[in-house]
């Protein structure tokens, strides 16, 4: 469904060039729920912004549904964003002047879809996510979890190929976080949605089918869920510890080995090191 | 049913505050500019402004400033609108909306808002300009000539401005859409900018640049003219840009620089607000610079109004005689008997005058210093050869030998009429100047090379003996009037017919009081300022005459102000006391004088019969030939007419009229600049609050109480308001000081008084902006949630 091949991206400041993504390749299958984790500055959000075509990249190819979307013109990109992508942002990005129901309808309104069909679909999605009671309320009148579920519902309105979520649980308490993850799982189950989520929350990531771990702009490793969620979370936490240990300056670092003695590069990672907040807007 | 247009309509309704704010900016801008153009282009104001004169040029300049000021604050308001709109745009773009669709929708909205508020602004401009006009007529001046009239040009200019404003807003909209980038929009609220390290010398360099810019722009051209007879080219005015650069550096330093120094407690106390400002230093500095320039314009406009008035009323106020007429001797003009009859009709009588000493007290030797109430004298019109100066296209000054007619009086006649004893030997001459005359580049007081008898051609090369001040004569001859010894005068008068003579009538008059109590030199107690007190009632109006009594404590303003056909009047002694009867007399005298005038005196101010004869003989066209409109309706008569009658009361009334027009316009410019500065400061404050809402949340989490948060806001807002006002006021103060001093290389008492007045104006303007600061402070607190939580 989503393919990223040899993606490279750098930022420059004055004469200095800072590479952020270095030859990143990954694939997301249809109906798969994939998370990207990594420490601060690892390039998670940059990867998501490149896939969203919000920012250009220097090298590599991104294809969605078998079509290369790397070099599309503005108008074509707008269509792709509207019909093939759905977005969920950390700070919800709902329009305060529109009701929850209207916010959900927005992608279809932009696409000039028939109204009756649109309203019917929006109601169904509201029911699916348990937000039908707040349909007529405004964003300011609902909780953070409800706002984010609204954003998930909005992202699903045009049945996109993929939902791109940037730290969707970053601004939520644990209860709301669980509700949002449930919404994603429900979308995957009921609607066959493909979800690509950037997060630093190992609890949220533990619900995914697969977790891609980024470090210093490269893919450090991947974890695929095979057992229970709790076991998967333990694996993630192990990887966190490993990455944290590697960050410590030791004599062994010089020859590419971690403090615990495990080889990391090229191996399947078993956890992640998490930065405090979503600050890799390099 | 939901459609895109319904969604946008709903968003518009929900966000109507944003639209209203933009609309109010447009409304204010159109209202201020249109009401200004309605007045500026009204036939009445245009009639007062001499064609091609400096006043007209200055007014055009000020119109330019008004337009730019209004454009700036409206565009600033619209940028805030776009900023708020950006989130909506970001979401729409992320959800796949096309830029062109959003652009169409934005233009539709902008057009609707602009059309609505522009129309409202244009309509409101009519009553607004009428009300301001009415207010001026009530408070400052009320003459038949000051009729409210709107010309087509004013309406057209208002519409033109509105169109330009709409296009500018649409241009900003286009730029906003073209630059719209989802990442920038989504991160807009987090976006900060940082200036490079600000060096410690930055502020000092700024002060130096401002001072250097002002010196180079104002003083250097005066020096080059005086020393090298070379004017600076127009492009030299670009040195004013140094002032702008200096202003930028001063404010940048104030905004972005902070160090512990000797007061670390203060440094840490203000650390949050200082750093908040530093993070938006470039934007904040730019913003403050514009506000500083607006403050500059605002103070300068008001100051110029005052300065113009003072200059206008100073001219002639020192004249020894309140009335003086001069006309060709061949013309049968109004004489003593007719003037006396007229005076009697208006309850006015001639009066002597004791010339005060230099310190203002009456002179001890009254015999030599007392002037009679009425004097007549003749002057000879002799050909003078003198050296003057002209300027070429390269702004180089060069000497020119002139040959024209000038007025000459005998020493004894001058002593008689002026009360100043002069004695000259044969071959000597004195130059008559106005009070406080300062030599200029064009002609010097000792300019005479020779005097020629216009009939016999006999020459004399006289010796310069000095100058003598006498305003009544100084105004009658160009380049000067001169005094010869009695013997030389006698010699030159031989063989001269009346064709080469002018008559001069000079007199002082005062309003006569009832029961034979008059205000002559030997009647009534004299006040400390040399004026006399009137205690009897006005025989003409039946009202108590308030000449010089100033019972209301209004500084000599007459409560019995004229409402028909008259301005406020200067009192008989020229002290500012007002008397309607005196004005009526002066007006009637002028009317009679015009009625008696013939083609003999119908000439432009700089007309010279000898120059005309020379030009015609050389087959050239004479530029000052032609007739003028010698009527009471001609508002330019005093300036245009070679033989215009002089009366202090009318001169001050004319000055008052011009002053009213000028103040009306300059006050308007001040109001516009003040509005623009107020709105910009307010918007800046609101923007800071909006941008830093999260920071205040963080401060709360760190345990900051309301008092601390209030302090952070207050310190920041105080800087936003205080720095530009201080910088603008200091710059305009230095500008005014330089301008008044380097104009004639001296600072006169009345100029110092005006500078003091400017300081008061600054204080007033600062007071108004303080009120805006308080308003902004409350709004800012509301935005960051302090005000609400307190409740």
């Amino acid at each position: 469904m989503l393919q990223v091949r040899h993606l490279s991206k750098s930022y420059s400041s004055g004469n200095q060039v800072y590479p952020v993504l270095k030859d990143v390749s990954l694939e997301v299958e249809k109906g798969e729920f994939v998370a990207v984790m990594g420490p601060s500055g690892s390039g998670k959000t940059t990867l998501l912004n490149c896939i969203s075509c919000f920012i250009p990249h220097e090298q590599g190819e991104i294809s969605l549904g078998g079509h290369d979307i790397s070099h599309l013109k503005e108008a074509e990109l707008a269509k792709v964003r509207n019909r093939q992508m759905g977005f969920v942002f950390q700070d919800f990005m709902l329009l305060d002047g529109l009701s929850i129901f209207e916010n959900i309808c927005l992608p279809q309104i932009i696409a000039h879809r028939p109204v009756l069909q649109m309203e019917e679909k929006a109601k169904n999605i509201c029911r699916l996510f348990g937000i039908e009671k707040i349909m007529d309320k405004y964003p300011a009148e609902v909780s953070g979890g409800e706002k984010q579920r609204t954003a998930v519902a909005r992202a699903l309105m045009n049945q996109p190929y993929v939902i791109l979520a940037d730290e969707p649980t970053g601004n939520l308490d644990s209860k709301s976080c669980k509700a949002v993850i449930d919404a994603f799982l429900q979308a995957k189950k009921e609607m066959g949605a493909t979800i690509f989520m950037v997060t630093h929350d190992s609890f949220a990531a533990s619900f995914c089918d697969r977790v891609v771990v980024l470090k210093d702009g490269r893919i450090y490793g991947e974890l695929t869920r095979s057992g229970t969620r709790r076991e998967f979370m333990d694996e993630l936490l192990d990887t966190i510890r490993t990455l944290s240990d590697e960050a410590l300056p030791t004599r062994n670092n010089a020859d590419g080995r971690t403090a615990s003695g495990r080889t990391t590069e090229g191996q399947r990672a078993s956890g992640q090191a998490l930065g405090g907040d979503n600050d890799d807007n390099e | 049913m939901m459609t895109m247009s319904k969604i946008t309509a709903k968003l518009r309704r929900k966000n109507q505050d944003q639209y209203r704010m933009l609309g109010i900016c447009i409304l204010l801008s159109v209202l201020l500019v249109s009401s200004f153009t309605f007045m500026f282009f009204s036939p009445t104001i245009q009639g007062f402004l001499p064609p091609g004169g400096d006043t007209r040029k200055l007014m055009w300049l000020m119109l330019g400033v008004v337009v730019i000021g209004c454009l700036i604050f409206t565009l600033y308001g619209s940028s805030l609108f776009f900023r708020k709109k950006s989130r909506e745009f970001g979401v729409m773009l992320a959800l796949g909306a096309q830029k062109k669709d959003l652009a169409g929708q934005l233009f539709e909205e902008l057009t609707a808002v602009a059309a609505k508020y522009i129309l409202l602004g244009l309509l409101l401009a009519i009553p607004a300009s009428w009300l301001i006009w009415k207010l001026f007529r009530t408070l400052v001046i009320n003459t038949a000539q000051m009729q409210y009239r709107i010309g087509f040009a004013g309406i057209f200019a208002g519409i033109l401005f509105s169109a330009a404003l709409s296009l500018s807003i649409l241009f900003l909209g286009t730029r906003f859409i073209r630059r719209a980038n989802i990442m920038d929009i989504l991160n807009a609220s987090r976006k900060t900018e940082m200036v490079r390290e600000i060096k410690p010398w930055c502020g000092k360099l700024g002060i130096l640049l401002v001072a250097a810019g002002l010196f180079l722009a104002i003083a250097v051209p005066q020096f080059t003219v005086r020393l090298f007879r070379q004017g600076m080219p127009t492009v030299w005015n670009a040195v004013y840009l140094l002032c702008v650069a200096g202003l930028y550096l001063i404010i940048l330093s104030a905004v972005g620089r902070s160090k512990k120094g000797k007061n670390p407690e203060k440094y840490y106390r203000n650390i949050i607000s200082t750093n908040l400002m530093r993070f938006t230093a470039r934007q904040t500095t730019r913003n403050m610079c514009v506000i500083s320039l607006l403050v500059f314009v605002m103070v300068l406009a008001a100051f110029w109004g005052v300065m113009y008035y003072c200059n206008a009323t100073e001219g002639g106020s020192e004249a020894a005689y309140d009335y003086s007429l001069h006309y060709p001797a061949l013309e049968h003009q109004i004489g003593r008997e007719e003037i006396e009859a007229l005076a009697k009709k208006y309850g006015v009588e001639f009066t002597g005058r004791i010339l005060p000493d230099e310190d203002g007290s009456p002179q001890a030797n009254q015999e030599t210093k007392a002037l009679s109430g009425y004097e007549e004298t003749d002057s000879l019109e002799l050909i003078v050869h003198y050296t003057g100066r002209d300027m070429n296209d390269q702004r180089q000054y060069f000497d020119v030998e002139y040959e024209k007619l000038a007025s000459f009086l005998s020493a004894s006649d001058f002593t008689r009429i002026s009360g100043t004893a002069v004695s000259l030997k044969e071959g000597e001459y004195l130059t008559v100047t106005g009070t406080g005359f300062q030599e200029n580049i064009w002609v010097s007081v000792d300019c005479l090379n020779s005097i020629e008898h216009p009939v016999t051609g006999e020459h004399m090369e006289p010796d310069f003996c000095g100058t003598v001040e006498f305003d009544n004569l100084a105004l009658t001859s160009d380049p000067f009037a001169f005094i010869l010894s009695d013997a030389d005068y006698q010699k030159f008068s031989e063989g001269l017919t009346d064709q080469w003579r002018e008559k001069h009538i000079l007199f002082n008059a005062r309003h006569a009081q009832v029961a034979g109590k008059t205000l002559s030199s030997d009647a009534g107690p004299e006040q400390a300022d040399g004026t006399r007190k009137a205690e009897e009632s006005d025989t003409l109006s039946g009202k108590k005459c308030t000449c010089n009594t100033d019972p209301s404590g209004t500084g000599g303003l007459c409560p019995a102000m004229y409402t028909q056909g008259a301005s406020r009047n200067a009192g008989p002694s020229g002290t500012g006391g007002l008397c309607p009867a005196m004005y009526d007399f002066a007006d009637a005298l002028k009317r009679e004088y015009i009625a008696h005038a013939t083609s003999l005196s119908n000439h432009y101010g700089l007309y010279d019969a000898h120059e005309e004869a020379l030009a015609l003989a050389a087959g050239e066209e004479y530029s000052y030939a032609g007739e003028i409109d010698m009527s009471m309706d001609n508002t330019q008569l005093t300036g245009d007419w070679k033989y215009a009658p002089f009366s202090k009361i009318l001169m001050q009334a004319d000055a008052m009229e011009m002053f009213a027009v000028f103040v009306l316009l300059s006050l308007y410019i001040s109001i516009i600049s003040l509005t623009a500065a107020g709105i910009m400061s307010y918007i800046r404050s609101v923007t800071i609050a909006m941008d830093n809402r999260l920071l205040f949340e963080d401060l709360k989490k760190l345990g900051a109480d309301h008092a601390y948060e209030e302090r952070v806001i207050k310190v920041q807002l105080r800087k936003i308001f205080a720095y530009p006002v201080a910088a603008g006021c200091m710059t305009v103060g230095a500008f005014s000081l330089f301008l008044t001093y380097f104009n004639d290389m001296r600072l006169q008492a009345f100029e110092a008084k005006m500078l003091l007045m400017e300081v008061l104006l600054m204080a007033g303007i600062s007071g108004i902006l303080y009120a805006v600061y308080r308003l902004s402070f409350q709004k800012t607190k509301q935005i960051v949630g302090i005000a609400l939580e307190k409740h």
Side-chain angles (χ1 to χ4, degrees):
Chain A
M1 180 60 65
L2 173 69
Q3 286 178 320
V4 177
R5 288 190 204 96
H6 309 294
L7 185 71
S8 292
K9 167 77 187 168
S10 57
Y11 291 103
S12 54
S13 171
N15 296 327
Q16 290 282 331
V17 177
Y18 303 98
V20 183
L21 295 175
K22 301 164 190 167
D23 195 27
V24 172
S25 294
L26 60 87
E27 208 164 312
V28 180
E29 296 296 331
K30 187 175 186 311
E32 203 180 4
F33 187 2
V34 177
V36 178
M37 297 183 81
S40 292
S42 61
K44 308 185 292 285
T45 300
T46 303
L47 174 64
L48 189 83
N49 287 335
C50 285
I51 293 171
S52 316
C53 299
F54 286 164
I55 52 173
H57 54 271
E58 284 107 40
Q59 281 175 359
E61 198 180 283
I62 300 163
S63 63
L64 186 62
H67 298 287
D68 185 2
I69 58 167
S70 312
H71 309 291
L72 294 180
K73 288 180 181 164
E74 187 63 40
E76 293 166 328
L77 259 180
K79 270 187 187 164
V80 168
R81 283 190 195 120
N82 183 245
R83 283 152 210 193
Q84 297 171 11
M85 291 176 179
F87 293 96
V88 179
F89 301 99
Q90 183 177 2
D91 51 358
F92 325 122
M93 294 303 260
L94 299 175
L95 295 184
D96 296 337
L98 301 180
S99 67
I100 294 296
F101 185 72
E102 287 161 341
N103 265 293
I104 292 171
C105 288
L106 213 47
Q108 294 231 334
I109 293 170
I110 290 170
H112 303 294
R113 295 277 167 81
V115 174
L116 288 176
Q117 251 176 285
M118 173 185 76
E119 289 183 342
E120 195 53 43
K121 188 165 187 183
K123 280 176 193 163
N124 284 336
I125 291 181
C126 284
R127 264 194 295 275
L128 183 67
F129 293 119
I131 48 175
E132 71 268 38
K133 284 183 185 166
I134 56 160
M135 273 191 334
D136 296 328
K137 291 193 173 183
Y138 285 87
E141 298 167 332
V142 303
S143 70
E146 286 169 331
K147 278 184 200 168
Q148 201 58 302
R149 273 187 284 158
T150 304
V152 176
R154 182 178 67 180
L156 284 162
M157 266 304 272
N158 279 348
Q159 284 180 294
Y161 289 161
V162 64
I163 290 180
L164 301 166
D166 185 9
E167 302 278 6
T169 57
N171 276 350
L172 302 175
D173 57 55
S174 57
K175 196 178 158 197
S176 301
C177 170
K178 179 66 174 61
V180 170
I181 294 300
D182 283 346
F184 279 131
L185 292 172
Q186 215 158 357
K188 175 176 143 66
K189 190 179 160 192
E190 306 282 335
M191 302 172 79
T194 307
I195 303 153
F196 186 78
M197 174 176 76
V198 164
T199 186
H200 64 263
D201 181 353
S202 45
F203 172 72
S206 69
F207 288 89
C208 295
D209 301 320
R210 188 156 53 100
V211 174
V212 177
V213 181
L214 280 184
K215 189 192 171 196
D216 298 333
R218 293 183 194 278
I219 293 185
Y220 175 76
E222 278 183 22
L223 286 117
T224 306
R225 184 174 157 186
S226 51
T228 62
R229 187 198 66 81
R230 194 171 286 275
E231 286 166 352
F232 191 45
M233 186 156 167
D234 287 341
E235 271 189 81
L236 287 172
L237 292 171
D238 274 348
T239 311
I240 292 169
R241 271 191 290 275
T242 310
L243 277 171
S244 304
D245 290 344
E246 281 176 16
L248 295 171
T250 63
R251 276 175 298 177
N252 292 335
N253 275 351
D255 58 13
R257 298 182 74 82
T258 65
S260 58
R262 290 173 58 190
T263 307
T264 53
E265 280 291 341
Q267 275 199 1
R268 198 182 119 123
S270 59
Q272 68 153 353
L274 296 178
D277 50 18
N278 176 30
D279 57 355
D280 56 349
N281 293 326
E282 299 90 339
Chain B
M1 289 230 289
M2 267 188 288
T3 58
M4 196 62 191
S5 59
K6 284 194 177 168
I7 286 291
T8 50
K10 182 164 186 189
L11 283 171
R12 210 163 38 234
R13 269 200 311 279
K14 285 281 174 184
N15 299 322
Q16 55 181 293
D17 281 357
Q18 295 171 29
Y19 291 86
R20 200 178 298 133
M21 187 151 183
L22 175 66
I24 287 170
C25 282
I26 295 173
L27 174 76
L28 266 177
S29 194
V30 172
L31 176 64
L32 291 169
V33 170
S34 300
S35 51
F36 184 81
T37 58
F38 288 178
M39 284 193 283
F40 181 64
F41 290 108
S42 83
T44 307
I45 299 277
Q46 289 295 309
F48 274 113
L49 300 174
D54 285 347
T55 316
R56 186 177 285 269
K57 282 180 196 160
L58 197 63
M59 280 301 153
W60 272 104
L61 189 75
M62 288 196 172
L63 177 64
V65 170
V66 167
V67 167
I68 291 168
C70 282
L71 265 179
I72 287 173
F73 87 73
T74 312
L75 295 183
Y76 197 77
S78 61
S79 66
L80 188 71
F81 172 80
F82 292 132
R83 196 182 165 88
K84 286 184 175 171
K85 194 93 183 150
S86 65
R87 184 183 161 84
E88 193 182 305
F89 259 63
V91 173
M92 294 286 193
L93 284 172
L95 294 178
Q98 302 266 6
K99 267 191 182 180
K100 65 174 174 21
D101 293 339
L102 293 176
Q105 170 210 324
L106 181 71
F107 284 157
E108 218 171 273
E109 288 178 353
L110 286 177
T111 311
V113 173
K116 181 179 160 188
Y117 286 97
I118 281 174
L119 191 69
L120 198 62
L122 284 170
L123 288 176
L124 284 176
I126 300 170
S129 59
W130 181 83
L131 272 174
I132 290 168
W133 196 286
K134 203 75 182 142
L135 202 68
F136 258 78
R137 282 195 70 156
T138 309
L139 297 178
V140 183
I141 187 166
N142 196 4
T143 71
Q145 287 170 327
M146 287 290 282
Q147 286 299 322
Y148 176 76
R149 285 185 290 171
I150 292 183
F152 175 74
I155 297 171
F156 179 72
I159 293 171
L160 199 69
F161 171 77
S162 305
L165 188 72
S166 310
L167 286 175
S168 307
I169 294 172
L170 289 180
F171 170 75
L172 277 192
T174 311
R175 208 179 59 161
F176 167 68
I177 290 163
R178 206 172 47 229
R179 291 185 178 179
N181 171 301
I182 300 178
M183 286 312 297
D184 287 348
I185 292 174
L186 298 183
N187 293 326
S189 56
R190 296 175 210 157
K191 200 176 169 187
T192 53
E193 32 163 333
M194 188 66 188
V195 284
R196 287 186 190 143
E197 191 202 346
I198 299 159
K199 304 284 181 198
W201 42 259
C202 200
K204 287 166 198 153
L205 178 67
I207 293 170
L208 194 71
L209 282 178
V210 170
L214 290 177
F215 184 81
L216 289 171
I218 299 168
V220 168
Q222 295 289 341
F223 285 133
T224 57
V225 167
R226 280 162 201 269
L227 298 175
F228 311 112
R229 292 188 191 171
Q230 172 68 56
M232 299 305 285
T234 314
V235 72
W236 181 254
N237 288 323
V239 293
Y240 276 118
L241 290 176
L242 287 178
C243 301
V244 180
L247 206 59
Y248 180 82
L249 287 178
I250 292 171
I251 294 176
L252 183 67
S253 173
V255 167
R257 246 189 85 70
S258 62
K259 56 173 184 175
K260 268 191 240 173
K262 290 175 185 167
N263 196 350
E265 272 179 29
K266 191 182 168 193
Y267 172 77
Y268 285 116
R269 214 168 42 228
N270 296 336
I271 197 160
I272 300 287
S273 45
T274 306
N275 279 285
L276 273 179
M277 292 199 92
R278 287 182 72 181
F279 273 110
T280 53
R282 198 154 37 113
Q283 206 184 353
T284 307
T285 305
R286 262 200 319 257
N287 183 268
M288 284 181 170
C289 277
V290 174
I291 297 172
S292 289
L293 291 175
L294 287 170
V295 169
F296 181 92
V297 169
M298 176 192 328
V299 177
L300 195 66
F303 175 63
W304 257 339
V306 175
M307 194 163 79
Y308 191 89
Y309 170 68
C310 290
N311 281 340
T313 50
E314 282 294 315
S317 67
E318 298 294 322
Y321 290 92
D322 295 340
Y323 302 84
S324 60
L325 313 171
H326 77 116
Y327 51 89
L330 286 175
E331 190 166 81
H332 185 68
Q333 252 298 353
I334 189 168
R336 177 167 190 159
E337 281 176 17
E338 284 156 299
I339 295 170
E340 277 179 341
L342 209 57
K344 194 174 176 189
K345 185 177 165 191
Y346 286 92
V348 170
E349 63 182 22
F350 299 143
T351 175
R353 180 171 175 178
I354 309 298
L355 288 180
D357 268 338
E358 280 179 8
D359 63 359
S361 58
Q363 295 202 5
N365 186 354
Q366 293 193 2
E367 279 183 19
T368 54
K369 291 290 178 185
L371 300 177
S372 72
Y374 182 94
E375 289 289 353
E376 282 186 13
T377 190
D378 279 0
S379 66
L380 301 180
E381 295 300 295
L382 304 177
I383 296 168
V384 290
H385 299 259
Y386 72 94
T387 308
R389 252 172 230 129
D390 206 348
M391 185 175 67
N392 62 19
D393 291 342
Q394 285 76 46
R395 304 181 76 87
Q396 286 169 332
Y397 292 82
F398 56 92
D399 287 349
V400 182
E401 297 301 320
Y402 289 102
E403 183 180 337
K404 63 180 296 190
L405 294 170
S407 299
F408 285 80
L409 263 80
S410 71
S412 57
D413 281 347
F414 182 79
T415 303
R416 175 170 56 82
I417 63 167
S418 70
T420 306
V422 294
S423 130
L424 289 168
K425 293 178 192 150
E426 278 186 61
E428 290 180 341
Y429 77 97
L430 279 172
T431 301
V432 181
T433 68
T435 308
F437 173 81
Q438 184 76 3
E439 266 203 317
N440 56 47
I441 188 74
W442 305 107
V443 66
S444 57
V445 286
D446 59 348
C447 60
L448 278 192
N449 299 324
S450 68
I451 306 168
E452 181 184 338
H453 193 289
V455 177
T456 63
E458 187 186 339
H459 269 74
M460 181 178 93
E461 289 182 9
D463 294 329
F464 176 65
C465 248
T467 60
V468 60
E469 291 178 346
F470 193 67
D471 293 84
N472 296 88
L473 268 184
L475 301 168
T476 63
S477 179
D478 179 72
F480 299 103
F482 300 99
I483 302 164
L484 291 175
S485 67
D486 288 355
D488 286 334
Y489 185 86
Q490 190 56 41
K491 196 166 69 187
F492 275 105
S493 59
E494 279 168 20
L496 277 188
T497 60
D498 278 355
Q499 185 193 345
W500 305 104
R501 289 172 197 270
E502 280 186 0
K503 282 210 174 292
H504 298 259
I505 294 175
L506 312 101
F507 62 92
N508 282 316
R510 283 185 184 177
H511 184 196
Q513 304 299 309
V514 290
K517 289 196 176 183
T518 61
L519 291 171
S520 59
S521 57
D522 56 355
E526 191 160 72
Q527 295 177 163
D529 63 354
T531 60
R532 292 177 192 290
K533 193 167 179 171
E535 292 169 340
E536 310 301 332
S537 33
D538 184 335
T539 50
L540 292 170
S541 61
K543 289 182 284 190
K544 178 125 176 145
C545 180
T546 55
C547 302
N548 302 323
T549 55
D550 192 16
S552 56
T554 53
L557 300 181
C558 179
M561 194 174 75
Y562 256 32
T563 51
Q564 285 180 341
S567 301
R568 287 189 166 189
N569 304 311
S573 59
T575 56
L578 299 170
C579 176
M582 291 302 296
Y583 182 90
D584 279 349
F585 167 68
D587 197 53
L589 180 69
K590 183 179 173 183
R591 201 177 292 275
E592 278 300 308
Y593 182 78
I594 291 172
H596 281 74
T598 65
S599 59
L600 284 171
S601 61
N602 193 346
H603 296 300
Y604 279 101
L606 288 174
Y607 171 80
D608 186 275
H610 185 67
E611 278 187 334
E612 186 182 33
L614 289 174
L616 292 177
E620 292 166 2
E621 197 180 331
Y622 182 61
S623 51
Y624 295 115
E627 294 187 342
I628 57 157
D629 170 25
M630 291 197 301
S631 73
M632 292 295 281
D633 297 331
N634 182 358
T635 52
Q636 308 300 323
L637 194 67
T638 307
D640 282 353
W641 194 13
K642 184 175 173 71
Y643 298 101
F646 167 80
S647 75
K648 272 185 196 171
I649 199 164
L650 287 186
M651 191 149 181
Q652 289 184 351
D654 284 350
M656 191 70 99
E657 278 183 344
M658 187 62 95
F659 156 73
V661 169
F662 203 87
V663 164
L664 182 75
L665 297 178
S666 55
L667 191 74
Y668 221 77
I669 286 158
S670 283
I671 291 170
I672 289 169
S673 310
L674 189 63
T675 311
I679 288 177
M680 284 186 73
S681 308
Y682 179 80
I683 290 176
R684 187 75 201 148
S685 313
V686 170
T687 311
I688 281 176
M690 283 165 58
D691 286 354
N692 297 302
R693 222 187 309 210
L694 289 175
L695 182 129
F696 284 95
E697 286 297 319
D698 292 345
L699 284 176
K700 268 180 213 143
K701 286 174 196 162
L702 289 170
D705 59 7
H706 288 321
Y708 186 84
E709 286 182 315
E710 266 194 32
R711 188 182 152 72
V712 169
I713 297 174
K714 203 182 267 185
V715 169
Q716 202 161 354
L717 293 201
R718 217 183 280 157
K719 284 179 179 175
I720 287 174
F721 280 85
Y723 287 174
V725 172
C729 285
M730 280 192 285
T731 311
V732 78
F735 177 81
S736 310
L737 183 67
F738 276 45
L739 203 68
T740 41
Y741 179 78
F742 287 108
N743 188 35
D744 51 9
M745 299 293 176
R746 62 181 178 166
L747 199 61
Q748 296 183 63
F750 86 96
E751 288 172 331
K753 206 166 71 186
M754 281 193 299
L755 289 173
L756 191 70
M757 234 184 272
E758 191 180 50
V759 174
L760 292 176
L761 275 172
M762 290 176 195
I765 285 164
S766 306
I768 295 170
L769 285 172
Y770 179 75
V772 183
Y773 156 76
R774 293 298 309 173
L775 198 73
S776 307
F777 183 51
Q778 293 307 324
K779 181 72 185 172
T780 312
K781 279 203 305 184
Q782 214 174 23
I783 291 170
V784 299
I786 301 175
L788 291 174
E789 282 181 20
K790 269 193 166 177
H791 295 295

